[in-house]
Amino acid sequence: MNRYRVNQIMTGILNGVTLLVVLFIAAFILYLLASGMTAINWRFLTTSSEVGLGIRDQLFNSLYLLLLTQLISLPIALGAAMALTLYVDKRSKFASFAQGLIQILSSLPSIIVGLFGFLILVLKFNLGFSIISGALALTFFNLPILTQSIAVSLQGVPDEVMQSGLALGISKWHTITKIILPEAMPGIWSGIVISAGRVFGEAATLIYTAGQSAPTLDYTNWNPLNPASPLNIFRPAETLAVHIWKVNTESLGQDAATVSRGTIVILILVVLLFNLVARYFSTTMRKKVGR
Amino acid sequence: MANKQQQTEITTRHVNVYYGAKQALFDVNLAFPKYQLTALIGPSGCGKSTFLRCLNRGNDLLGHTRVSGEFQFEGRDIYDQAVNVMQLRSQVGMVYQQPTPFPFSIFDNVSFSQRMSGEKNPHKLAAIVEKSLRQAAIWDEVKDNLQQSALALSGGQQQRVCLASVLAANPKVILLDEPTSALDPVATAKVEETLQQLKANYTIIMVTHNMQQASRISDQVAFFLDGKLIEFNATKKIFLHPQEQMTSDYLNGKFG
């Protein structure tokens, strides 16, 4: 067999493997969507799980927890990434130590993060099963992912950009905030949105921190201290992903399977939406930047 | 001419630079005449770019670098504790080998240094942008597209926009580190022509690998080898009657 033939065969095999992966994923998603679509109707989206077997509150809880998590983690992750890429000497011991810690944190199993949150936040700090416990635990889960993706975006800006900014007599802070951050922005945005997808689908971290119950919420109550208010951060809050887990382990009878499949569809659609938004952001912003 | 030659813009004495344990420059003494173009030449790694970067304290940014010696500029030492580095860098501007325009419009690029130092008046900014782009000989090519991203320009145009950005900061000295080595011959010719016009108002110090370029546009040439200044003289003298054997060998392509 000559080398041209080998080349042809290997190209064929690689294409075939790629096609297989794509087909498998497409079939899997289509199956989940098709089997769950029938469960979705207006009532499913707008009633609480206690009254009408709906997921209204779980959907809200998921989005609210995501928002809080990103609000807490974004400033920390941005600061850490900026320090590690633009301020700390990359060859220093501290830099490699910090990088190592971030990598360890990012590969920590989420159930460990959840149990850690349960011990520290729920019990020790007496926050109970609450949104704030969940958001803080999710921050631990989210920080390394977000820090790394922001750091990668910042590293993507050529060193010469920083040099020529400084060479114009502009301060380091202004060079960073006016030139480097805007140039890294498309990458930072897609990092935020992709990490949002992972946070949104996270269950293990939340089971022991935000809890598994979803008290019916009164969406007209805007007093954040009232237990029925959706804004209250000290109430327990079951999310979509936790709901899927709970429905399947406690199996509430015949409806359980339907509810579970419907919830899966909503979860997948939202995560898919996040990814589409991330792509849209990075392409349009990149066009605006001109690269 | 004679009067001009007596005035020096930057005078350096006993310059030594170390990267960690390695010494990159050995006791360099150079005086740069005002309103003239001085070319720094020599083989790769000879220390000419290192020397250039000393002049706007660009080596400060690299870390692990130690600089000693005197650098007289405007009656003060560049490395004096009291010197405001940001102010120094706006007076001693630098254009790099790779054009590095910032990711926004041509107008915003050129007006950047002025806006960062607090200038808000749009008429003043527009006037500064036009003047700088004219000086950099790129006004006619971009005047109708000032809001276009600078990254969409060709390499030669980007380099002249970068030059305009440096000019807009109102420098006295312009440093150039192989400004045309990434450009094609037509763009190179344009940049060279621009530099010759700028000489009337600015002191220019340029690192170049291109001997023809040095002979075409410079007034003085400083030849560096292995971190030492071998010869410094008027361009004609260097090219026609070099005093040192090493200079002659280098110019004749015997090494490099």
Side-chain angles (χ1 to χ4, degrees):
Chain A
M1 209 157 41
N2 66 34
R3 58 211 156 104
Y4 302 109
R5 193 88 193 110
V6 171
N7 186 42
Q8 271 180 346
I9 292 171
M10 291 318 289
T11 310
I13 290 177
L14 291 178
N15 285 339
V17 170
T18 313
L19 193 69
L20 200 70
V21 172
V22 170
L23 277 179
F24 178 71
I25 294 171
F28 184 56
I29 291 179
L30 281 179
Y31 168 74
L32 289 175
L33 291 180
S35 66
M37 260 331 175
T38 49
I40 294 170
N41 49 45
W42 189 240
R43 196 179 136 83
F44 183 66
L45 293 174
T46 56
T47 57
S48 75
S49 52
E50 282 166 15
V51 178
L53 291 178
I55 56 162
R56 177 192 72 185
D57 297 343
Q58 280 80 3
L59 185 57
F60 176 84
N61 287 342
S62 290
L63 292 169
Y64 192 39
L65 253 170
L66 172 64
L67 179 73
L68 285 179
T69 305
Q70 293 290 26
L71 277 182
I72 301 170
S73 32
L74 189 56
I76 304 174
L78 188 61
M82 278 168 63
L84 283 174
T85 52
L86 305 171
Y87 283 93
V88 176
D89 182 357
K90 274 163 221 156
R91 288 162 295 189
S92 69
K93 285 218 170 86
F94 175 76
S96 61
F97 178 68
Q99 290 282 7
L101 277 188
I102 291 172
Q103 249 155 33
I104 291 171
L105 199 57
S106 71
S107 55
L108 216 57
S110 53
I111 185 69
I112 308 270
V113 178
L115 288 171
F116 172 77
F118 176 66
L119 276 177
I120 300 294
L121 303 167
V122 177
L123 300 178
K124 188 84 182 161
F125 291 147
N126 213 12
L127 292 169
F129 289 121
S130 61
I131 288 192
I132 187 68
S133 298
L136 290 172
L138 277 180
T139 298
F140 280 107
F141 173 79
N142 192 22
L143 264 183
I145 308 169
L146 204 52
T147 307
Q148 275 176 330
S149 73
I150 295 176
V152 167
S153 316
L154 290 175
Q155 276 159 359
V157 181
D159 286 346
E160 289 81 16
V161 173
M162 173 77 111
Q163 274 179 21
S164 38
L166 295 174
L168 277 179
I170 294 154
S171 69
K172 187 168 184 179
W173 177 247
H174 272 147
T175 306
I176 290 173
T177 51
K178 305 283 177 181
I179 306 173
I180 295 185
L181 279 182
E183 189 156 350
M185 213 33 114
I188 294 178
W189 266 112
S190 49
I192 292 173
V193 182
I194 285 166
S195 82
R198 291 199 48 184
V199 167
F200 196 80
E202 181 52 32
T205 308
L206 291 174
I207 291 171
Y208 295 105
T209 52
Q212 307 160 36
S213 59
T216 303
L217 299 175
D218 174 8
Y219 288 90
T220 56
N221 188 335
W222 288 79
N223 176 7
L225 297 175
N226 190 305
S229 166
L231 298 180
N232 188 337
I233 56 169
F234 296 107
R235 63 180 172 85
E238 186 194 34
T239 63
L240 288 178
V242 174
H243 192 54
I244 294 169
W245 174 80
K246 197 178 80 171
V247 166
N248 279 296
T249 46
E250 294 184 356
S251 69
L252 308 158
Q254 291 171 330
D255 299 319
T258 322
V259 170
S260 159
R261 286 202 299 264
T263 313
I264 288 173
V265 170
I266 298 297
L267 190 64
I268 289 179
L269 286 180
V270 175
V271 172
L272 220 57
L273 186 72
F274 282 156
N275 282 292
L276 289 178
V277 169
R279 278 186 171 221
Y280 176 78
F281 261 130
S282 59
T283 48
T284 53
M285 287 179 82
R286 238 166 231 141
K287 254 184 221 148
K288 208 172 138 204
V289 167
R291 285 219 168 139
Chain B
M1 184 71 194
N3 185 29
K4 266 186 176 177
Q5 207 139 29
Q6 281 155 11
Q7 275 191 331
T8 55
E9 186 80 86
I10 299 184
T11 308
T12 70
R13 283 190 204 93
H14 308 300
V15 173
N16 289 282
V17 175
Y18 305 83
Y19 290 124
K22 186 180 172 278
Q23 188 163 2
L25 282 177
F26 298 84
D27 199 43
V28 174
N29 299 282
L30 267 176
F32 297 97
K34 207 165 182 166
Y35 303 134
Q36 299 215 356
L37 198 159
T38 305
L40 311 180
I41 63 169
S44 301
C46 69
K48 55 195 190 305
S49 293
T50 299
F51 181 80
L52 191 75
R53 276 199 301 272
C54 288
L55 301 177
N56 75 342
R57 291 184 59 171
N59 285 324
D60 293 15
L61 312 174
L62 298 176
H64 298 290
T65 312
R66 196 157 58 79
V67 177
S68 71
E70 277 177 51
F71 298 82
Q72 286 297 322
F73 170 63
E74 301 260 290
R76 275 191 308 184
D77 195 287
I78 286 174
Y79 282 81
D80 194 295
Q81 290 285 321
V83 166
N84 178 337
V85 183
M86 288 187 273
Q87 199 188 346
L88 168 77
R89 289 190 185 133
S90 64
Q91 289 180 340
V92 183
M94 170 80 105
V95 176
Y96 290 94
Q97 181 173 9
Q98 282 291 333
T100 47
F102 303 132
F104 27 72
S105 72
I106 297 169
F107 187 94
D108 288 349
N109 260 279
V110 179
S111 60
F112 193 64
S113 58
Q114 290 293 333
R115 287 187 288 124
M116 287 302 109
S117 49
E119 182 60 63
K120 287 199 179 74
N121 183 333
H123 300 293
K124 263 192 183 167
L125 287 175
I128 290 168
V129 168
E130 176 170 350
K131 183 177 168 235
S132 309
L133 287 168
R134 279 187 191 281
Q135 280 184 306
I138 188 158
W139 172 253
D140 290 331
E141 290 165 60
V142 299
K143 65 182 174 201
D144 300 322
N145 300 310
L146 290 178
Q147 294 311 318
Q148 188 194 2
S149 169
L151 297 170
L153 297 171
S154 74
Q157 290 174 323
Q158 286 188 359
Q159 193 61 299
R160 279 176 290 151
V161 166
C162 289
L163 183 58
S165 306
V166 169
L167 293 171
N170 227 351
K172 297 199 163 60
V173 181
I174 304 169
L175 310 176
L176 302 118
D177 193 353
E178 298 185 39
T180 60
S181 65
L183 305 184
D184 64 64
V186 177
T188 300
K190 284 207 166 152
V191 171
E192 286 184 9
E193 200 185 310
T194 310
L195 293 177
Q196 290 207 295
Q197 286 163 8
L198 288 174
K199 248 173 26 179
N201 302 305
Y202 303 92
T203 304
I204 302 176
I205 305 169
M206 175 171 82
V207 164
T208 180
H209 265 299
N210 184 331
M211 294 308 120
Q212 284 80 30
Q213 183 169 61
S215 71
R216 273 195 302 264
I217 64 172
S218 70
D219 300 299
Q220 283 83 223
V221 172
F223 172 58
F224 283 77
L225 185 65
D226 296 333
K228 296 181 187 83
L229 175 66
I230 305 296
E231 191 168 351
F232 178 51
N233 216 331
T235 304
K236 259 193 187 151
K237 285 188 182 157
I238 287 262
F239 280 94
L240 296 178
H241 309 289
Q243 303 292 307
E244 302 286 332
Q245 187 59 39
M246 279 185 284
T247 314
S248 163
D249 288 351
Y250 180 68
L251 292 175
N252 291 317
K254 290 196 180 154
F255 67 94

